[in-house]
Structures are given as C-alpha cells and as structure tokens.
Amino acid sequence: MSDKFDVIVIGGGPAGYHAAIRAAQLGLKTAVIDAFVGKDGKAALGGTCLNVGCIPSKALLDSSKQFFNLSHNLPAHGISVENAKVDMATFIGRKDKIVKQFTGGVDQLFKVNKIVSFFGKGKLLKGNQVEITGNDGSKQTISATNVVLASGSVPIELPFARFDGKHIIDNAGALDIADVPKRLGVIGAGVIGLELGSVWNRLGAKVTIIEALPDFLGTADADIAKVAQREFKKQGLDIKLNAKLSKAEVKKDGVHLTYADKDGEQKLIVDKLLVAVGRRAYTDGLLADDVGVKLDERGRIVVDEHCHTGVDGVWAVGDAVRGPMLAHKGFEEGMAVAEWIAGKAGHVNYDTIPWVIYTEPEIAWAGKTEAQLKEEGVPYKVGSFPFAAIGRAVAMNEAIGQVKMIAHAETDRILGVHMVGPGVSELIAECVVAMEFKGSAEDMARIVHAHPTLSEAVHEAALAVDKRAIHKGN
C-alpha cells in the first residue's frame, strides 16, 4: 500500500491528536498511527493521558476525595454519615466509563475532521515513509510530506523492582487495584507518586512514600513545598526523604523493601509497590537507522525551537522531546507544528507553562521560583497571602495554603506565581494570562476580583508584593 498524506502523526496521545486535528482543520490530508489497546482489548486513542494518566487518575482522585470528605470534612458542616464504605467495582468502573467516553470522543473528532486512523506501531523510514506494524502483525507502508513524531513516554523501571503487574506496579496498575491494600509502598514523591498515593491513602491504605532526593518537591517553590509536605503528613502520608531503595523482593507476605536513609539500612514490607520514579521518552523501534533523526543522552528526540528534527519534513512533539512531560505542553506543541507545516505562525511560550499537582490541597505554579531567580541574579520582590484569611476558603472548610507572587524588583513584571490550596489548579490560569501579556503585580492588584471567591488570594498576593495587602499585616 502506498497511500500519500500531507501529514502523518505517529502517536495518538495529547500531542499527537492535537497536531492531527489542527492539521486537518488547516486542510491537510492527515493520518494518525497509534498502538494503544484499552482494557477491553480494543484500539483506544488518547495515549497515556486519556487511558492511564491524567483523566483516570483525576477520576479516582475525585472519587476518593468524596469518600474522605464523609469522615474528615463533612462533620465540620454538621453532616455525619455512619459506616460509609466503597464499592470497589463501582469505584474503578466509574473511572473506566470516563476513560471510554473521552477516548471515544477523540475517535469521533477524527471522523468529523476526516483523519485516517491506523492502529499499530509506526516506524519512520527514509524519505518520510512510515511502516505500520498492526496489532495483528500485518505490515503496510504509507508516506507523507511531513511526519510528526509524537510517541510519548513510558514509566521508568528500576532494575531491582521490575513491574509484574500484580505486586510491583506502574501508574497504570495503580489505577486498577481491585481491593484497597493495607500497606502501599510508593517509590518517588513526584506528581504520580503523590497523586496516586493520595487516592489509596484516602481509602484507608497505609501509604509510605520513599523519595531519593533530600528535598520535598524540589522543582516547586520551597515555601509552597513546605506547606504541602506538612499537610500531607497530617493526612497520614509517610514521606521518607533522602531514602534510596536498593531491593524489592516479592514474598508470600508482601513486597520486602530495603532502602537506606540517614540512619542506615531500613526494611519495610508492603502489600503492593508503586514505582513512580519518572518517565522516559518512548522511542523504541520508532526510527530506522538511516533516517537521520537524532536522540539526546536521555533518549529524547532532538528538535529545534520549532520542534523540527533537522530532517526535512520531520517534526517531534510532546513527551518524546525536551521540556516538561505535561499533556498541555504537548497540546500546544502539536497545534504549533501543524500551523508551521501549513505556513502559519505557530507559537509555544515555555516560560508560562503551568504545573499542577492534583493532591489535596492542590499545588500549582508557573514561572520562576525564588531559588531560580537568586541563582540567576535577578532582582525580585515577593508578596504572599494565606487562604486562612479568605472568606470563601474558610466557608468551604478548606482554608489551607497560600498564594505567592514574585515580581521583578525594578519593572514589577510578574516572574512567577506559586500556590498551594483549594482550587489552585484553576486559579493559576489567571496568572498565566497575566504573565503571557507581560503583566505586572500592579496590574493584577488593580483588577477587581469578585468577593467572596478563592481568587481574592491572588489579588491580595499581588497587593502584598508592594506591602499593601488589606486583609493581613504587611
């Protein structure tokens, strides 16, 4: 077969399907190749994010939060529920139903935009040809003027803690635990470890998180990380920092862990072990030897500022290239590449990409941290405001955390905003818009924010940058 397309996208995850839809909107004949197979054994678009990542994890986080609120939050409102319990089949089934809804939605969008889907593994050949190995082993070759590599990422596996899908699991396995384990071990206190650890902690598991780094959430602002760590400890998450796992042995009574911390060698037995030490670019079998596309020392596809590989007509986006492994970063790269291919002005501003951790309280930030600005020698000023002084947060019984705004000491331009607290996954968007338009703390302070809302914390933090917050001492 020798079908010729304007654009072929290898990978139907967030970066890939956004690239495909935007290309089709621009009148380009587009095809997508994806090999993901869902729980039902059928091909499923949407990649890791929709199938075993962003969407299902948020479904479980919300369900577990509802259960946790019954005994930990609602009593403060005068509401009591006795003997609450979770039906695990319904708990997991709801998540699966949501996943099916969204993967089916992508499939429908492809049909509406006349995008051709091929289910199997794509391999880039010389001359912008792509070999497709179907899930049934069949092979065919198609070609295009432009090929977009959007192969995504996979969990990093530890050599001494190999995934077996039952006792030692990755993020996908942690979404399908049939019964709440009494003891859950988590390796890695990053986004995945904290979010999935929170799910099972809320349902009654004793969760121990082992983190090799000495600092908690080292990529976040130190003040925000400190607040979050304190709250997670209150919730019962046992987070062991500067602890390095060296052995994981599956035995009859559980998974036996050996790790070292400041006090020497330690032992721990858990019923299940979630390994969440990060993800790596998935480029296995993606490239023929003679295509000329280069990989860096971490296995990521090398691209320029326009996501071009240096090989004529070959682009790469999402988790498979440099930058944060965030779905929304992939969204924007995919759309930008489609626009560049069509001769338009695509754009991605990597300086204003928001980060969110959907724990309770939520954590969100965009821009630079204080530590980064100090290291770069940039003069700055800081304003912060606690949710404890926000009427809406107190009325919700979620008066935890703060908003911290950092502005340039001379120009007042907002350089970074960091939050921990209720609903900050949504509040960060306002700050991203302000930063994208090169707004100042003064601009934010002059904007009227509705009362009573959580967004007032952003307003007050902006006022606090120049020591004129109203509802706290300056």
Side-chain angles (χ1 to χ4, degrees):
M1 184 177 180
S2 59
D3 285 339
K4 182 67 183 282
F5 294 87
D6 296 315
V7 178
I8 294 173
V9 182
I10 301 179
Y17 84 73
H18 276 72
I21 291 174
R22 186 69 186 116
Q25 288 175 342
L26 291 166
L28 301 172
K29 184 181 178 183
T30 304
V32 173
I33 305 163
D34 191 81
F36 199 96
V37 176
K39 284 179 68 175
D40 59 3
K42 298 179 181 179
L45 293 166
T48 292
C49 179
L50 265 64
N51 286 280
V52 292
C54 320
I55 300 304
S57 64
K58 303 312 165 287
L60 293 190
L61 278 162
D62 189 72
S63 292
S64 64
K65 180 181 177 181
Q66 305 301 332
F67 177 74
F68 187 82
N69 282 344
L70 290 176
S71 57
H72 293 80
N73 195 14
L74 292 185
H77 296 270
I79 303 169
S80 61
V81 178
E82 295 183 3
N83 301 318
K85 59 183 180 180
V86 177
D87 179 272
M88 291 305 298
T90 303
F91 182 83
I92 299 297
R94 173 181 178 272
K95 177 263 298 181
D96 291 340
K97 184 178 180 181
I98 291 170
V99 167
K100 194 74 174 175
Q101 175 185 337
F102 278 90
T103 57
V106 175
D107 184 56
Q108 187 60 36
L109 287 169
F110 276 20
K111 291 175 181 175
V112 169
N113 286 283
K114 297 181 173 58
I115 297 168
V116 180
S117 296
F118 294 90
F119 294 104
K121 187 171 175 57
K123 182 176 184 177
L124 178 64
L125 308 178
K126 196 170 183 178
N128 293 1
Q129 295 189 86
V130 178
E131 178 185 77
I132 306 168
T133 302
N135 294 335
D136 59 359
S138 62
K139 290 183 181 291
Q140 62 178 305
T141 300
I142 59 177
S143 62
T145 307
N146 292 275
V147 178
V148 181
L149 306 174
S151 53
S153 62
V154 292
I156 293 173
E157 189 172 28
L158 297 173
F160 46 82
R162 297 289 187 187
F163 301 130
D164 63 15
K166 183 178 180 182
H167 303 97
I168 302 177
I169 56 179
D170 60 8
N171 61 289
L175 295 170
D176 280 324
I177 298 175
D179 297 296
V180 180
K182 291 182 178 180
R183 304 160 299 181
L184 175 67
V186 179
I187 309 303
V191 176
I192 295 172
L194 289 172
E195 289 186 357
L196 293 178
S198 293
V199 167
W200 299 104
N201 177 65
R202 292 172 187 169
L203 297 182
K206 170 58 181 173
V207 178
T208 303
I209 301 178
I210 298 173
E211 170 58 55
L213 296 176
D215 298 318
F216 179 69
L217 283 181
T219 55
D221 184 87
D223 290 338
I224 299 304
K226 184 178 179 180
V227 173
Q229 185 179 11
R230 182 178 67 239
E231 292 303 319
F232 296 153
K233 184 177 181 180
K234 288 180 182 178
Q235 293 170 16
L237 286 174
D238 184 5
I239 303 173
K240 300 182 183 299
L241 299 175
N242 205 17
K244 295 179 174 61
L245 183 73
S246 59
K247 188 183 294 184
E249 298 176 289
V250 178
K251 298 184 179 181
K252 287 184 178 181
D253 60 342
V255 185
H256 289 238
L257 307 180
T258 301
Y259 66 94
D261 61 13
K262 61 181 178 62
D263 298 319
E265 187 175 274
Q266 307 292 336
K267 302 286 187 179
L268 177 69
I269 302 175
V270 296
D271 299 301
K272 289 187 182 293
L273 177 67
L274 165 61
V275 178
V277 295
R279 299 178 66 84
R280 64 173 179 84
Y282 180 58
T283 54
D284 302 355
L286 177 67
L287 306 168
D289 294 336
D290 60 351
V291 297
V293 174
K294 297 178 180 178
L295 303 180
D296 66 13
E297 69 282 354
R298 293 172 58 182
R300 300 174 301 186
I301 301 167
V302 176
V303 293
D304 63 15
E305 67 274 17
H306 293 110
C307 294
H308 194 262
T309 66
V311 176
D312 189 35
V314 180
W315 315 72
V317 295
D319 284 3
V321 303
R322 80 286 180 264
M325 288 184 173
L326 299 170
H328 43 283
K329 174 256 197 183
F331 291 171
E332 299 306 318
E333 286 181 334
M335 291 188 290
V337 161
E339 290 169 354
W340 284 320
I341 288 172
K344 298 185 178 297
H347 172 71
V348 181
N349 184 356
Y350 293 94
D351 293 330
T352 56
I353 294 175
W355 292 69
V356 179
I357 304 177
Y358 297 87
T359 46
E360 190 71 26
E362 292 182 341
I363 304 165
W365 70 89
K368 302 282 188 177
T369 65
E370 269 201 81
Q372 289 172 324
L373 293 171
K374 285 180 181 177
E375 185 177 341
E376 295 170 9
V378 177
Y380 66 88
K381 50 188 176 177
V382 176
S384 61
F385 196 82
F387 281 102
I390 296 296
R392 180 71 186 278
V394 174
M396 293 165 57
N397 197 38
E398 296 185 45
I400 296 169
Q402 64 175 324
V403 173
K404 177 177 179 179
M405 186 173 293
I406 308 174
H408 196 285
E410 298 164 0
T411 67
D412 197 42
R413 181 176 173 179
I414 300 171
L415 302 176
V417 184
H418 308 269
M419 310 174 175
V420 56
V424 299
S425 60
E426 303 294 341
L427 296 183
I428 195 64
E430 172 187 13
C431 303
V432 171
V433 170
M435 293 169 67
E436 187 68 33
F437 284 91
K438 299 178 173 55
S440 66
E442 178 73 11
D443 290 328
M444 192 72 84
R446 294 289 179 183
I447 295 172
V448 179
H449 288 68
H451 173 78
T453 62
L454 297 175
S455 69
E456 289 179 280
V458 176
H459 185 228
E460 289 273 11
L463 288 165
V465 168
D466 287 315
K467 302 187 185 306
R468 61 185 210 266
I470 300 300
H471 293 95
K472 76 161 194 171
N474 294 287

